[in-house]
Amino acid sequence: MKKLIWLLPLALGGCLGETYRNPEPNPFKSVKRVAVAPFLDRSGAKGFDGMKAGEAFASEMLMHAGFDVVRPRQVADAAAAKGLKLETAEDYLAVAKALDADAIVAAEVTELNTYYPPRTAVALQLLLTQRVKSPPENLEKHVVSARPLAISPSTAPHLDQHFELVADAGDDNIESSLSSYAAARVAGDSAWKDGEGIARSRETYWRFVCALIVERIVDNELGRPQPAKHKWSNPEHP
């Protein structure tokens, strides 16, 4: 019989112990300041809070030296000040430029399974305020009704990355990544102490998912193939 995981609020901005991993630094040459918009919900899960979900992602991105992150509340306030509803790629780009950001993250949660082992899916787009330097044939590939935002010919030159990440704790590779993620933390008196402890808390599992997403962004920028499983290191316990 499946067990319901702890239905904690979907947020983690530094509580329950902070990471002591040694994340890779920002690999982008022209992207330093990144705006993170509130996450959109397409999962229908009860208790989902897109603002808190985005805040947790912003906290995870800040673990990578070299990123200056504009948090979701600031993004939402800037959108409101400009009378924008953050419904189109044009809206997101206008807000990013108003915040003097080099890029903005648009993401939606397409699946949020609240049973153990949890399964979460997130679709993400990274839009640059400056045009992406790509051949025309590559830009044409971006003109799609993508998730979460439809990309038009006018916004395609700004789409740097788009992908969907599925984190299924029932998968052997994700389970292994969870164990590595937990081992890279010093605090052993919390839900972070082992992979199963992380998987059984909605809050801590979401932060793990955010870590996977940021790692994917970094890997994509470096042109690295996606690993079957992620490994994290702890400078105190390599």
Side-chain angles (χ1 to χ4, degrees):
M1 180 179 179
K2 291 183 177 179
K3 296 181 180 179
L4 191 67
I5 66 172
W6 307 335
L7 294 178
L8 298 178
L10 189 52
L12 198 153
C15 55
L16 294 181
E18 190 50 277
T19 55
Y20 285 84
R21 293 183 288 108
N22 194 19
E24 288 189 86
N26 173 7
F28 291 85
K29 293 182 179 180
S30 59
V31 175
K32 305 297 182 185
R33 184 172 169 85
V34 180
V36 177
F39 278 40
L40 305 173
D41 177 36
R42 297 291 185 271
S43 68
K46 292 183 179 180
F48 180 87
D49 188 320
M51 189 70 70
K52 291 180 178 179
E55 288 287 348
F57 176 85
S59 293
E60 187 60 41
M61 179 165 269
L62 280 171
M63 298 304 298
H64 296 254
F67 281 118
D68 174 20
V69 177
V70 182
R71 290 187 172 274
R73 174 51 63 189
Q74 295 172 268
V75 173
D77 289 345
K82 294 182 69 66
L84 299 174
K85 296 182 179 181
L86 289 179
E87 294 178 343
T88 67
E90 287 84 358
D91 291 345
Y92 279 74
L93 286 167
V95 171
K97 291 176 182 178
L99 291 167
D100 197 27
D102 302 312
I104 187 166
V105 171
E108 68 176 4
V109 176
T110 57
E111 184 177 355
L112 189 62
N113 182 12
T114 56
Y115 289 90
Y116 180 81
R119 176 184 165 95
T120 301
V122 180
L124 178 140
Q125 292 169 334
L126 181 67
L127 297 161
L128 307 189
T129 51
Q130 299 298 319
R131 294 170 63 93
V132 179
K133 295 180 180 180
S134 297
E137 59 269 22
N138 288 348
L139 294 179
E140 290 176 2
K141 297 177 183 178
H142 291 328
V143 184
V144 293
S145 296
R147 306 187 74 101
L149 305 173
I151 301 300
S152 65
S154 63
T155 55
H158 298 274
L159 182 60
D160 184 64
Q161 292 190 23
H162 62 109
F163 59 83
E164 183 172 16
L165 183 143
V166 178
D168 184 349
D171 178 82
D172 289 343
N173 289 327
I174 293 295
E175 184 179 10
S176 177
S177 296
L178 271 169
S179 296
S180 172
Y181 184 72
R185 291 177 176 272
V186 172
D189 57 349
S190 71
W192 298 109
K193 64 185 178 181
D194 58 38
E196 184 175 352
I198 292 175
R200 288 187 178 278
S201 167
R202 180 174 179 177
E203 184 174 357
T204 54
Y205 191 72
W206 173 251
R207 182 63 180 263
F208 165 72
V209 172
C210 290
L212 290 178
I213 297 171
V214 177
E215 291 287 341
R216 172 72 67 85
I217 292 172
V218 170
D219 285 344
N220 286 345
E221 176 60 18
L222 292 173
R224 291 194 302 221
Q226 298 305 312
K229 55 188 176 183
H230 291 259
K231 292 184 178 181
W232 284 274
S233 63
N234 185 316
E236 294 190 14
H237 307 286

